[in-house]
């Protein structure tokens, strides 16, 4: 994979879009001369700057075609598909996905998303009255909601530890371990945080917590595909990861990885015909679901491998870091105002004080950017601070970030 382009090859941060051609036709020096062909792999609207891959992902044409072929097979003979073919097909798909993430097939179940996987763990985990579950204040909102449902209803107590946005790994570890008490039974950690786009040091925290006889659930919603994930090596008690984000699988595709000691306890939230089969097969048959998204996950993995994972990740990190600085410059921010680069495909730009200071105002600004400027991006309010979260994927180019930099100041 070539290094980040030289300064002369990268668009000047001080220059606006001007009269440059439409985004889909612009060059992308972060990728190389074959970028137009790569951009065509995704059926995204060419007139929109899609800078929000982190929310719902985007599915390449080849993966959509794979899913449609499975749907066609399902519809021409539903009985044959559901009764005689689906179980073996799911096992094959699960095995290929597990192998890609350094896991055994029997340790991995398909679920609809990371949130449903986390809810399944929280509902299954043995909690008695007075036991405590710990989250950080960077936790994804829906996972926190699941914890608020399943922990107190069994008499458990939910604790939250505050982690400053600029905290380094050592401080994160110190704060999380300091928040543990005698009755802490489970800690929920994000591999890559959703609202704040930072990687938590789970590799250090997992063994430190397990040494205290505390189980660890890792919310890896954004990790698979964005970074290297080796589940068995990581060693978490539970790991949930979306495949419909950075793996580019169809929506509704995620995995739940469970360590051997917990598998006899973990069951899907919907009890159905597969219940007696135990983990993971019990998750395969919880109703007459359309499993074609799960069956298409291996095709998505192969699509990314065809692009070259190292090249893809290096492109995303370089482009999003450059784009972060471009947008910050447009808002009059200095490099000191930005978070330290994290080698991720997402980055934050702080918004002026008072802008997007509430969830409602953040969503309103995000909607205006999408509807009025044709820029899709995430705007969040975290601790009363408005934050712009930008993403970069192979289909993005500098022109997407130029549009955001040109449009955002006027909207503010």
């Amino acid at each position: 994979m070539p290094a980040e382009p030289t300064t002369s090859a990268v668009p000047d941060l001080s220059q606006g879009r001007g009269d440059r051609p439409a985004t889909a036709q612009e060059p992308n020096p972060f990728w190389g001369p074959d970028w137009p062909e790569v951009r065509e792999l995704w059926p995204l609207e060419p007139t929109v700057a899609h800078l929000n891959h982190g929310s719902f992902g985007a599915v390449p044409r080849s993966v959509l075609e794979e899913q449609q072929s499975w749907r066609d097979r399902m519809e021409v003979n539903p009985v044959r598909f559901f009764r005689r073919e689906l179980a073996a097909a799911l096992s094959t798909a699960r095995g290929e996905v597990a192998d890609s993430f350094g896991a055994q097939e029997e340790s991995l179940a398909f679920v609809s998303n990371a949130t449903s996987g986390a809810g399944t763990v929280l509902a299954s985990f043995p909690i008695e009255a007075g036991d405590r579950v710990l989250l950080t204040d960077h936790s994804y909102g829906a996972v926190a909601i699941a914890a608020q449902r399943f922990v107190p209803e069994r008499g458990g107590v939910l604790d939250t530890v505050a982690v400053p946005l600029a905290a380094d790994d050592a401080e994160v570890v110190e704060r999380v371990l300091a928040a543990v008490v005698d009755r802490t039974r489970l800690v929920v950690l994000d591999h890559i945080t959703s609202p704040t786009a930072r990687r938590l040091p789970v590799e250090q925290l997992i063994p430190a917590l397990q040494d205290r006889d505390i189980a660890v659930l890792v919310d890896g919603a954004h990790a698979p595909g964005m970074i290297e994930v080796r589940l068995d090596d990581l060693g978490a008690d539970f790991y949930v990861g979306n495949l419909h984000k950075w793996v580019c699988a169809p929506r509704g595709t995620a995995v739940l990885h469970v360590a051997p000691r917990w598998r006899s306890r973990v069951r899907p939230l919907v009890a159905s015909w597969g219940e007696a089969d135990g983990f993971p097969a019990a998750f395969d048959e919880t109703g007459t679901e359309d499993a074609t998204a799960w069956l298409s996950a291996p095709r998505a993995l192969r699509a990314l491998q065809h692009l070259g994972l190292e090249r893809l990740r290096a492109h995303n990190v370089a482009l999003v870091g450059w784009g972060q600085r471009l947008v910050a410059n447009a808002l009059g921010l200095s490099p000191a105002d930005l978070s330290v680069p994290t080698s991720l495909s997402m980055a934050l730009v702080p918004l002026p004080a008072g802008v997007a200071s509430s969830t409602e105002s953040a969503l309103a600004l995000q909607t205006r950017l999408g509807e009025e400027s044709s820029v899709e991006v995430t705007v969040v309010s975290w601790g009363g601070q408005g934050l712009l979260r930008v993403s970069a994927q192979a289909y993005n180019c500098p022109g997407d970030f130029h549009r955001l930099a040109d449009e955002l100041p006027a909207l503010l």
Side-chain angles (χ1 to χ4, degrees), residues 4 6 8 22 111 116 142 146 151 161-162 164 183 192 198 201 224 227 252 258 276 300 310 346:
E4 181 177 349
T6 62
S8 60
V111 290
S116 64
V151 175
V161 55
R183 295 295 297 272
I192 297 171
R198 65 160 299 165
I227 62 175
V258 179
E310 288 188 10
M346 301 189 300

Side-chain angles (χ1 to χ4, degrees), residues 92-386:
T92 299
R94 185 166 51 239
E96 187 169 342
V97 170
D99 184 65
S100 295
F101 296 110
Q104 302 299 312
E105 181 190 340
E106 61 269 21
S107 70
L108 207 71
F110 281 120
V111 290
S112 60
N113 56 42
T115 302
S116 64
T120 300
V121 172
L122 290 163
S124 303
F125 191 79
I127 296 174
E128 299 178 355
D131 287 345
R132 307 181 84 94
V133 174
L134 178 66
L135 292 77
T136 78
D137 59 349
H138 296 252
S139 294
Y140 183 57
V143 172
I145 290 171
Q148 291 161 7
R149 173 198 285 189
F150 293 116
V151 175
E153 71 179 11
R154 285 173 287 165
V157 179
L158 193 62
D159 296 318
T160 301
V161 55
V163 176
L165 193 60
D168 61 16
D169 285 355
E171 184 178 357
V172 174
V173 171
E174 180 182 0
R175 282 178 173 265
V176 171
L177 295 182
V180 167
V181 297
D182 288 343
R183 295 295 297 272
T184 302
R185 298 290 181 260
L186 177 69
V187 175
V188 183
L189 299 169
D190 292 79
H191 204 164
I192 297 171
T193 63
S194 180
T196 53
R198 65 160 299 165
R199 182 172 179 171
L200 297 185
V202 296
E203 295 84 358
Q204 300 173 51
L205 281 166
I206 290 170
L209 291 165
Q210 291 174 336
D211 284 347
R212 302 183 185 200
D213 199 27
I214 298 170
V216 181
L217 163 61
V218 176
D219 179 358
H222 287 273
M226 187 193 295
I227 62 175
E228 181 76 6
V229 176
R230 308 301 293 175
L231 292 171
D232 285 350
D233 292 344
L234 192 62
D237 297 85
F238 312 95
Y239 190 103
V240 293
N242 285 327
L243 304 186
H244 56 241
K245 290 183 184 284
W246 297 95
V247 174
C248 297
R251 249 73 63 180
T253 309
V255 292
L256 166 60
H257 182 263
V258 179
R261 65 176 292 205
W262 301 108
R263 289 174 197 163
S264 63
R265 296 193 62 96
V266 177
R267 291 291 182 272
L269 295 176
V270 176
S272 191
W273 296 106
E275 184 77 6
D277 296 328
F279 186 92
F283 287 77
D284 292 349
E285 192 177 355
T286 58
T288 311
E289 295 181 318
D290 183 347
T292 58
W294 298 353
L295 296 174
S296 304
R299 183 65 182 85
L301 287 165
R302 291 193 293 271
L304 296 190
Q305 290 162 358
H306 179 73
L307 286 174
L309 280 174
E310 288 188 10
R311 183 185 190 190
L312 175 67
R313 289 168 180 160
H315 164 270
N316 293 351
V317 171
L319 178 57
V320 82
W322 178 88
Q324 177 196 39
R325 297 189 296 274
L326 177 79
V327 177
N329 184 66
L331 295 180
L333 301 176
S334 70
D337 298 317
L338 302 177
S339 58
V340 177
T342 55
S343 297
L344 299 180
S345 305
M346 301 189 300
L348 295 181
V349 177
L351 294 170
V355 175
S357 57
S358 67
T359 299
E360 293 74 18
S361 59
L363 289 174
L365 177 58
Q366 179 173 325
T367 298
R368 288 188 65 200
L369 279 164
E371 296 298 323
E372 298 177 25
S373 302
S374 294
V375 178
E376 299 295 352
V377 69
T378 289
V379 183
V380 299
S381 177
W382 189 79
Q385 166 72 59

